[in-house]
Amino acid sequence: MKQRVVSGMRPSGRLHIGHYHGVLENWVKMQDSYDCFFFVADWHSLTTEYADTSGIAQSTREMVLDWVAFGLDPQKCVVFRQSLVPHHSELNLILSMITPVSWLERNPTYKEMLDNIEARDLTTFGFLGYPVLMAADIILYKATRVPVGHDQLPHLEITREIARRFNHLYGEVFPEPEALLTETPKLPGLDGRKMSKSYNNSIYLSDSAEESSKKIMGMMTDPARVRRNDPGDPEICVAFNLHRLYVPEEKLAEIMPACRTAGIGCVECKKILVTCMNERLAPFRTKREELAANPGFIDDLLQDGSRRASQISDAVMAEVRTALKF
Ligand code: TRP
Ligand code: SF4
């Protein structure tokens, strides 16, 4: 029996290459060795976006287009939308009854976001209870493995505690899911800060070859390398982080000493990157365009995946109701 994997992403719209190399590429690799459920966490978006929900539907479509174009195969894994499977909400309600508020209040992510996000009022019940919904997402499918980044580890720990408490109170229903820690390479954006939609410094998976070329040609390099004759240092160069991802090893071995001796200029060096990157992404980008040309495709795919997810969650919820003696 394959281990069951569940993971979700909030619908943030078009994904950038940082999302791809940090999360999506890993999901794609897991499809063959695990029984995978990947979902759009659209209810989770409400924890922070409740005041303006106008972008969520479109962001969902854009994100799932990226998922499928870049390798998620709905034949191999179940791709669905959380809000189309109401069992997430039913289980969330039940789990909320057995989760001590103190577990939620001491969650480091909670405290950090409350302190740092001033633009929105996050003092809501739902925002505090976000890890309960996440626990429901995971154990609803009896997942045994959850691929997450470091930032989500405290949430997974709460999930395990909630599952344990449920089992203790009502009998053994849920396995305790384990984290599959994904090492996310920190990918800098065009300006050297973390790649993020809000900084406007991203290269998107859906950018055309021309768009991404233009972005890379304007990307920060080694700030000390002002003139063509100044030697540079690839370890400091911002663009070189992308070289490491896309340019073959042998070529890197040529570029590094050439940069240090000013034997190669940044324009030439970036052109190598542009060529390698566009070559690598081209087939996916073409596929994305083809899929995007069929307007109902993503909605149908999510409907179908959500139906398949519901079949599993329906059976688990029946067990839950029995355990509760309802
Ligand atoms: N909390 C995750 C995030 O913000 C998204 C998420 C929701 C998730 N439910 C999940 C991830 C269940 C893994 C498993 O990125
Ligand atoms: Fe960066 Fe290449 Fe310029 Fe060196 S030559 S600073 S590695 S872009």
Side-chain angles (χ1 to χ4, degrees):
M1 277 289 277
K2 284 182 183 169
Q3 300 277 353
R4 177 160 297 159
V5 157
V6 170
S7 199
M9 260 188 233
R10 290 164 177 246
S12 56
R14 299 192 296 151
L15 300 180
H16 55 60
I17 58 174
H19 294 125
Y20 179 60
H21 298 288
V23 185
L24 181 56
E25 200 177 24
N26 184 47
W27 284 11
V28 171
K29 284 190 199 132
M30 287 189 300
Q31 305 179 96
D32 293 307
S33 26
Y34 297 95
D35 177 21
C36 294
F37 287 65
F38 296 122
F39 70 98
V40 180
D42 54 352
W43 275 335
H44 282 266
S45 289
L46 292 179
T47 58
T48 52
E49 311 302 314
Y50 61 84
D52 179 9
T53 58
S54 59
I56 297 176
Q58 188 54 24
S59 288
T60 295
R61 284 188 207 101
E62 295 286 352
M63 185 172 80
V64 177
L65 265 178
D66 283 331
W67 286 4
V68 178
F70 282 73
L72 274 199
D73 179 351
Q75 311 293 333
K76 290 185 184 166
C77 60
V78 181
V79 177
F80 70 101
R81 184 172 179 177
Q82 181 187 35
S83 64
L84 292 178
V85 185
H87 295 135
H88 287 252
S89 158
E90 185 183 352
L91 186 57
N92 172 61
L93 178 120
I94 293 168
L95 299 182
S96 77
M97 303 300 171
I98 65 169
T99 306
V101 174
S102 60
W103 291 4
L104 303 173
E105 282 174 337
R106 68 170 189 236
N107 166 17
T109 322
Y110 175 69
K111 288 194 266 190
E112 200 187 297
M113 284 181 79
L114 266 193
D115 291 346
N116 294 330
I117 299 185
E118 279 157 12
R120 282 166 291 201
D121 180 3
L122 294 182
T123 60
T124 61
F125 179 48
F127 184 69
L128 175 66
Y130 167 140
V132 182
L133 182 56
M134 181 161 158
D137 298 336
I138 295 167
I139 68 177
L140 181 57
Y141 301 94
K142 298 194 178 186
T144 52
R145 296 285 184 275
V146 183
V148 284
H150 263 111
D151 60 318
Q152 298 287 321
L153 275 182
H155 295 149
L156 196 69
E157 204 40 52
I158 297 176
T159 299
R160 292 164 57 82
E161 284 172 324
I162 293 175
R164 215 175 298 147
R165 190 169 174 113
F166 183 101
N167 292 343
H168 174 72
L169 289 168
Y170 309 117
E172 200 71 24
V173 174
F174 298 112
E176 272 178 48
E178 281 169 34
L180 282 177
L181 199 60
T182 36
E183 285 311 327
T184 37
K186 280 278 165 288
L187 205 60
L190 302 172
D191 55 3
R193 292 185 293 175
K194 178 177 165 351
M195 189 176 284
S196 160
K197 180 167 260 176
S198 47
Y199 293 155
N200 201 13
N201 65 356
S202 303
I203 298 173
Y204 292 97
L205 295 178
S206 50
D207 281 345
S208 66
E210 294 70 40
E211 281 168 319
S212 46
S213 309
K214 220 162 99 200
K215 287 181 177 178
I216 286 174
M217 295 318 286
M219 190 170 184
M220 237 174 92
T221 58
D222 171 355
R225 200 170 181 199
V226 183
R227 281 173 300 264
R228 169 70 181 79
N229 293 336
D230 298 333
D233 183 354
E235 302 299 337
I236 294 170
C237 171
V238 177
F240 198 73
N241 288 286
L242 300 189
H243 283 76
R244 286 188 204 283
L245 277 177
Y246 296 109
V247 177
E249 206 66 49
E250 323 83 72
K251 200 72 194 164
L252 290 181
E254 277 173 38
I255 290 174
M256 294 174 76
C259 169
R260 293 197 174 99
T261 54
I264 186 172
C266 289
V267 171
E268 188 190 340
C269 180
K270 283 171 158 181
K271 279 185 178 157
I272 297 170
L273 167 62
V274 165
T275 307
C276 295
M277 173 169 161
N278 283 339
E279 239 169 60
R280 164 102 169 263
L281 300 183
F284 302 125
R285 287 171 164 162
T286 309
K287 179 156 186 208
R288 196 184 194 282
E289 276 174 34
E290 286 165 12
L291 297 175
N294 179 350
F297 175 79
I298 292 296
D299 288 347
D300 291 349
L301 183 152
L302 288 174
Q303 289 284 351
D304 179 59
S306 302
R307 246 190 321 269
R308 285 160 65 200
S310 300
Q311 279 167 8
I312 306 288
S313 63
D314 195 42
V316 175
M317 282 315 294
E319 274 185 69
V320 167
R321 293 182 208 112
T322 304
L324 285 167
K325 306 188 171 62
F326 268 43

